[in-house]
């Protein structure tokens, strides 16, 4: 099984970005994925984790979902896996481009209020090639169910300190997930988090905003 979050080393991720070795006819036998349903399942599992740690559940944000889906689509289309896009856009820049402010007000002043988790995995755990037929090889594939993909993503994030910190950050109140099936039997997943106070009316004048570099936590 191959999978990775943003803290996985680039060398370990390369097999996920290359052809899996499955013939196209075999790949078409994969169970269907319903991206919106998988997005909601990941969101539900993240809320289960937060509740287990004594935190409030996160509300779903359709606007954040659009940002998350766009980043997953961009990674799948251009064959990369990173919080930073090939054009140099980070999570806060992508949110700002979608019209979402990324500063939040707290007792300590103004700070970046956007977080992002990303995950990449194959749609199968493993496969075996049987050469018992003279006319063609036979492939036995252990496909993952959508629920298994969801649990794998959340488990990987909870094992990564930075991604775990996003999931368990008390100030976040809204979140959303963007799921995009990618090439080579992969699934690209992005989750974005924000604070409820991320509203344009709450932003200070441009000259009074902190000089911070927005990005993922």
């Amino acid at each position: 099984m191959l999978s990775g979050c943003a803290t996985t080393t680039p060398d370990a991720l390369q097999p996920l970005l290359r052809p899996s070795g499955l013939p196209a006819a075999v790949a078409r036998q994969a169970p269907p994925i319903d991206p919106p349903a998988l997005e909601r399942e990941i969101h539900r599992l993240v809320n289960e984790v937060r509740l287990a740690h004594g935190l409030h559940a996160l509300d779903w944000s359709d606007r954040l979902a659009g940002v998350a889906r766009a980043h997953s689509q961009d990674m799948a289309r251009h064959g990369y896996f990173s919080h930073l896009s090939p054009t140099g856009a980070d999570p806060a820049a992508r949110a700002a481009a979608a019209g979402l402010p990324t500063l939040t007000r707290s007792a300590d002043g103004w700070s970046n209020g956007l977080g992002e988790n990303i995950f990449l995995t194959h749609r199968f755990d493993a496969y075996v090639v049987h050469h018992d037929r003279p006319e063609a090889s036979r492939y036995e594939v252990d496909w993952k169910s959508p629920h298994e993909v969801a649990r794998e993503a959340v488990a990987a994030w909870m094992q990564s300190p930075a991604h775990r910190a996003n999931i368990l950050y008390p100030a976040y109140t809204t979140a959303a997930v963007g799921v995009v099936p990618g090439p080579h039997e992969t699934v690209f997943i992005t989750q974005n988090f924000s604070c409820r106070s991320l509203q344009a009316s709450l932003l200070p004048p441009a000259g009074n905003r902190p000089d911070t570099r927005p990005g993922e936590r």
Side-chain angles (χ1 to χ4, degrees):
M1 176 181 70
L2 288 173
S3 62
C5 56
T7 54
T8 307
T9 63
D11 287 346
L13 284 169
Q14 283 308 305
L16 283 162
L17 299 173
R18 295 197 297 261
S20 66
L22 287 177
V26 176
R28 286 194 291 270
Q29 299 171 12
I33 279 188
D34 180 354
L38 181 51
E39 292 166 357
R40 292 289 184 158
E41 176 67 0
I42 293 170
H43 183 75
R44 183 188 70 80
L45 291 174
V46 165
N47 275 337
E48 276 191 0
V49 171
R50 286 179 61 91
L51 292 172
H53 284 79
L55 300 170
H56 58 267
L58 299 168
D59 293 332
W60 177 270
S61 166
D62 287 336
R63 296 182 71 191
L64 277 180
V67 175
R69 289 173 190 140
H71 186 52
S72 291
Q73 182 64 59
D74 192 61
M75 290 190 291
R77 180 182 295 118
H78 295 104
Y80 72 97
F81 181 71
S82 173
H83 290 292
L84 194 66
S85 75
T87 62
D90 62 14
R94 289 190 289 273
L100 288 171
T102 59
L103 296 177
T104 185
R105 184 164 51 191
S106 67
D108 298 323
W110 294 90
S111 62
N112 181 44
L114 186 81
E116 180 174 277
N117 287 349
I118 56 177
F119 184 73
L120 172 62
T121 189
H122 275 137
R123 295 183 60 188
F124 54 85
D125 271 326
Y127 66 85
V128 178
V129 183
H130 299 277
H131 301 285
D132 53 359
R133 296 178 180 176
E135 67 278 8
S137 299
R138 179 170 57 90
Y139 288 77
E140 183 179 352
V141 185
D142 183 10
W143 296 106
K144 300 172 187 173
S145 70
H147 182 67
E148 288 171 330
V149 172
R151 294 190 68 87
E152 182 187 2
V154 176
W157 287 335
M158 289 301 292
Q159 291 169 8
S160 164
H163 297 86
R164 177 187 176 94
N166 272 339
I167 289 175
L168 300 181
Y169 188 50
Y172 287 145
T173 57
T174 60
V177 182
V179 171
V180 172
H184 317 316
E185 297 71 61
T186 55
V187 181
F188 287 80
I189 300 172
T190 302
Q191 182 174 38
N192 286 125
F193 306 81
S194 74
C195 304
R196 194 179 304 278
S197 59
L198 290 183
Q199 300 172 15
S201 61
L202 293 178
L203 291 179
N208 296 331
R209 298 182 189 178
D211 184 16
T212 58
R213 178 176 176 79
E216 74 281 2
R217 286 177 53 81

